[in-house]
Structures are given as structure tokens and as C-alpha cells.
Amino acid sequence: MAKSEAPKVAVASLVGTTIEYYDFAVYGTASALVLGPAFFPSGNATLSSLAAFLTFSAAFLSRPLGVVLFGTIGDRLGRRQALVVSLLLMGVATVGVGLLPTYETAGFLAPVLLVTLRLLQGVSMGGEWGGAVLLAAEHAPPGRRALYASIPNIGPSLGFLLSTAVILPTMNIVGMEGFTDWAWRIPFLLSTVLVVVGLWVRATVSESPVFKSAARSPESKPGAGSEPESGSESAPGFPLGTLLKQYPGRLLLGTGAAIGGSAVYYLTIVYSLSYGPQELGIPRNTMLTAASIGAAAGIAITLPVARLSDRIGRRPLMLAGAVGCVVWAIPMYASLSSRNGLVITGAYTVGLMFLALMFSPVAAFLPELFPARMRYTGASAAFILANTLGGGFAPSVATWLNSHWESPLVLGFYTGGLCLVSLVCLLALPETREHEFDI
């Protein structure tokens, strides 16, 4: 495998991840703005929003199934095959949401179909992130693993920005009434074009050279720079079972290391888009703009942070990001009380830059914790569990918290607590920069 192909592989992974997270962000934004009344009509706006956010959470419940399915495919048959199937599944589910009848038209069938498609989206997402960063990392030249792994890691924020770039003009053209009535379907249906492009791009890249070596090897090396926690096993027939047997501690701590960042991400770009306008009277465009500028700032420092982590290590930067998020969580969400767009944008920008310090190196850090023959499953499981526990239920938990305590400060305490968990877990994990990324 020529080193010159590594950038192409990283970009191909980025394209697919961006599309997957565009689809997910479109649903998150739509659930915050219109899906509650359309699919869960109620005389209580809070109950409608809570129901919509619960369907958002439903996709996270099915993500572990995606980890098992795509982790097995990726560790047994190849990274590229798993990524192509996951992208296709996400595209079908997202376009399906755009074609759904509302509760007014189909009654109870409408929310049932919506939840079903959300579950399929979750299965897809269960295999996406781990496979994308892994394919890029396993193609990376020596000494640049975090840099290349972080390129697809830009996808979540880029997907959100892309969704905002579609949603905001649509709302401005048709108005909020038109968007609520019918135009909310446009961002979902546009996913068709993006998925076709993404499938074509992913079909042109080659399989991971590390996976090819592992497939030829009669047995896996322990990997990750240390012996397994219990026993040693050759190429696993069922990677998740072997992972749980040999690396339960790494899986648990890796999940904890990523849980705080997931909370910051989803509370900022999903929950606050509903909470700000509905509870505090902040214009929707103001909230979307603040979150978009913050996400763009995070993107801007992602690659420099990753390159620095290739030089000084993953943990120092991730620890700095965790400390920053613990300290900044309360001021960030307290800024919502000001109802001032500039204040909110500034607070979100600082918060999402702290998030980038945690999120950029984690693309290399989590895969480096596991050997090649269970690396897809291990990295995916840790990240998806963190997303589910820290991010998937965050909007629903935040909605419940704010129904009892009206101050946005409660969001800061909640988020800061989860970031503190990440800080403790990072302190318990080893540095992985020097670990051999072999079979």
C-alpha cells in the first residue's frame, strides 16, 4: 500500500462520515424544531419535544446492534465492506423519514414508522465512526496516525454544518410555517444525492493493509502495547465476545473517556436548539448560528490538535480538553440566560474548542487500545456506548431536568459531571501514541 493513497482513504472516510452525521444532524435539528408536533401532537409543547427527543434517543439504543453487526463484518470480512453497507443503510433510513406521513395523515402508524427508521439509523451509526477512523488510521504513514484518523473525525461537526446550510436557507425561503408544514422533508430527501456520492467514493478505496496482514496471520498478537487482561486468543470468530473476555477494563475506561465529549456535542447542537427558543425565547436562527460558528471553530483546530497529539501524545491534550469542559460547562450554558447572540456564540465557541481537544485525539486513542482482529469492534463499542450514555439520552435527560429546574445552569452541572467522569477515566488509561499498530 503506497503512502500516497493514505490521503485519499482519509478523505473517502471523511465524505462518508460527514454524510452519516448530516443525516443524523438533520433528524436532531428537525426533532428540536418540528417533529414533535408533526408526529407526537399534544397540547403540551414540552411533552411533544420530549417525545421527539425520545425517538432521537431510540437510535442510540440500536447502535450497539450496529457495533455487533458491523464490528463482526469489519473484523472478519474487511473495514471497507462494513462502511459501504452502513452508509447505504443510513441513506435508505434517512430518505424514508423524509417520505413519512405525519400523525394527522396516518395516525399512530406515523410515529411507529418514524421510530423504526430511527432504529435503522442507529444500527448504521453503530458501525460508521469506528470503521471510518480505523480505515484512515490503518492506512496512515508512520508518526501521523492521529492526524489521518482525525480527518474523518471532522465528519460529525461538518455534517451538522452541512445540515444547517440546508435547513437555514429553507426556513428563510418558506418561513417557519412552511418549514413546519412540509419543507422539513427537503433536507432528508437531499440525502439521496449525498449517499450516492459517498458510496461511489468509498467503493474506490482499497482495504486496510493492517486488516490484510491480520487476515493472513494464523493468530492475532495481543496488541495495544500490552497483554490482554485475561488469556490470549487467536483470530476471533465473534469479536465482541473475545473483546468482553479479554479487554473489559479497556472497554469500560475507553467508554468513560469519551462520555463527556458526547454530552457536550449533543446538548449543544441538538438540545439547546429546542431549549433556547422554547424556554428562553431566543430566536432559532440565533441558536443555529451560535452552534454552527462553534462547530466551525472546533473543525478549524481538529487537525492541528491531532498533529500535536502525534508529537506529544494523546492523553495530555485529551486531559486538557476534559478539564476545560469541566470548568467551562457552567459558563457555557449560563450564557443562554443572557439571550444575547454574541455572548452565546462566544461561549459555545470556547466550549466546542475544548471539545475538539478531547474529540480529535480520541480517533486514534480508542483504536490503539485494542489489537487489529478486534479493533473495529473495540473502538466502535467504546465510542458508541459513550455516545449512547453521554449523548443519546442527554436531550431527554436535559428536558426532564429543565422541567424541574428552570435555570440553564442545570445543563452545566449535568455536562460538567459527565466530563469529570471522562477526566477520571483518562487518568486511569495509558498513553497509546507509541503502541505498535500491527496485527
Side-chain angles (χ1 to χ4, degrees):
M1 170 71 198
K3 289 182 182 179
S4 60
E5 193 173 343
K8 174 185 175 183
V9 172
V11 171
S13 295
L14 171 62
V15 170
T17 305
T18 300
I19 294 169
E20 290 255 8
Y21 275 90
Y22 164 84
D23 293 345
F24 220 70
V26 163
Y27 187 93
T29 304
S31 67
L33 300 178
V34 300
L35 293 186
F39 288 89
F40 305 95
S42 161
N44 187 311
T46 299
L47 289 178
S48 291
S49 294
L50 182 59
F53 282 138
L54 285 173
T55 65
F56 181 81
S57 301
F60 287 82
L61 291 176
S62 61
R63 280 187 176 194
L65 177 59
V67 171
V68 175
L69 173 62
F70 292 108
T72 302
I73 294 173
D75 283 330
R76 297 282 295 170
L77 303 178
R79 322 310 197 194
R80 189 170 67 103
Q81 287 180 260
L83 287 172
V84 169
V85 176
S86 73
L87 182 59
L88 181 61
L89 179 60
M90 175 62 84
V92 170
T94 303
V95 173
V97 172
L99 297 173
L100 281 181
T102 63
Y103 187 91
E104 183 179 0
T105 303
F108 184 68
L109 180 62
V112 170
L113 292 174
L114 180 65
V115 171
T116 301
L117 292 173
R118 282 297 291 160
L119 292 173
L120 291 178
Q121 281 188 322
V123 171
S124 171
M125 289 298 292
E128 172 58 32
W129 183 88
V133 301
L134 188 53
L135 191 65
E138 290 184 339
H139 279 89
R144 296 194 173 187
R145 192 184 303 147
L147 176 64
Y148 279 83
S150 71
I151 293 175
N153 219 25
I154 294 172
S157 293
L158 197 58
F160 170 69
L161 290 177
L162 184 59
S163 72
T164 303
V166 173
I167 290 172
L168 271 180
T170 303
M171 289 174 59
N172 290 334
I173 291 172
V174 303
M176 192 60 201
E177 184 177 348
F179 187 82
T180 303
D181 186 39
W182 62 273
W184 62 268
R185 300 178 183 275
I186 293 175
F188 289 96
L189 298 178
L190 283 177
S191 179
T192 304
V193 178
L194 298 175
V195 169
V196 170
V197 172
L199 288 173
W200 176 77
V201 170
R202 282 195 168 171
T204 63
V205 302
S206 60
E207 183 55 79
S208 157
V210 176
F211 173 80
K212 290 178 181 178
S213 296
R216 289 192 298 266
S217 175
E219 60 181 60
S220 299
K221 298 179 183 180
S226 66
E227 292 297 320
E229 295 174 14
S230 60
S232 179
E233 190 165 321
S234 61
F238 186 53
L240 181 61
T242 306
L243 175 72
L244 294 174
K245 178 182 178 182
Q246 296 187 6
Y247 295 91
R250 289 280 175 94
L251 176 60
L252 182 63
L253 291 172
T255 299
I259 199 170
S262 296
V264 174
Y265 181 82
Y266 284 104
L267 285 177
T268 302
I269 72 162
V270 175
Y271 177 73
S272 67
L273 300 184
S274 171
Y275 174 74
Q278 290 185 6
E279 303 298 329
L280 301 175
I282 303 170
R284 297 184 190 277
N285 283 6
T286 298
M287 293 304 305
L288 281 169
T289 300
S292 297
I293 291 175
I299 289 174
I301 69 168
T302 292
L303 296 186
V305 168
R307 189 69 187 106
L308 184 60
S309 81
D310 278 326
R311 294 173 179 167
I312 69 172
R314 323 304 187 207
R315 288 177 77 249
L317 295 169
M318 294 177 70
L319 285 169
V323 170
C325 286
V326 169
V327 172
W328 191 249
I330 292 176
M332 179 166 67
Y333 294 111
S335 71
L336 296 174
S337 296
S338 73
R339 297 174 174 81
N340 183 297
L342 290 177
V343 173
I344 296 169
T345 299
Y348 273 27
T349 298
V350 173
L352 290 175
M353 291 178 75
F354 279 131
L355 172 62
L357 290 178
M358 283 198 292
F359 197 55
S360 179
V362 83
F365 183 71
L366 291 182
E368 287 166 348
L369 292 174
F370 307 99
R373 294 309 300 267
M374 62 188 78
R375 188 172 290 143
Y376 197 128
T377 301
S380 295
F383 188 77
I384 293 307
L385 283 173
N387 258 227
T388 300
L389 299 175
F393 292 101
S396 299
V397 172
T399 300
W400 181 85
L401 288 173
N402 281 124
S403 70
H404 290 76
W405 297 277
E406 296 182 359
S407 172
L409 288 176
V410 71
L411 302 179
F413 286 112
Y414 172 52
T415 307
L418 290 178
C419 290
L420 185 60
V421 171
S422 290
L423 178 61
V424 172
C425 290
L426 284 168
L427 289 171
L429 283 166
E431 176 56 60
T432 61
R433 180 172 67 97
E434 298 297 335
H435 290 172
E436 293 295 328
F437 215 46
D438 55 16
I439 61 175

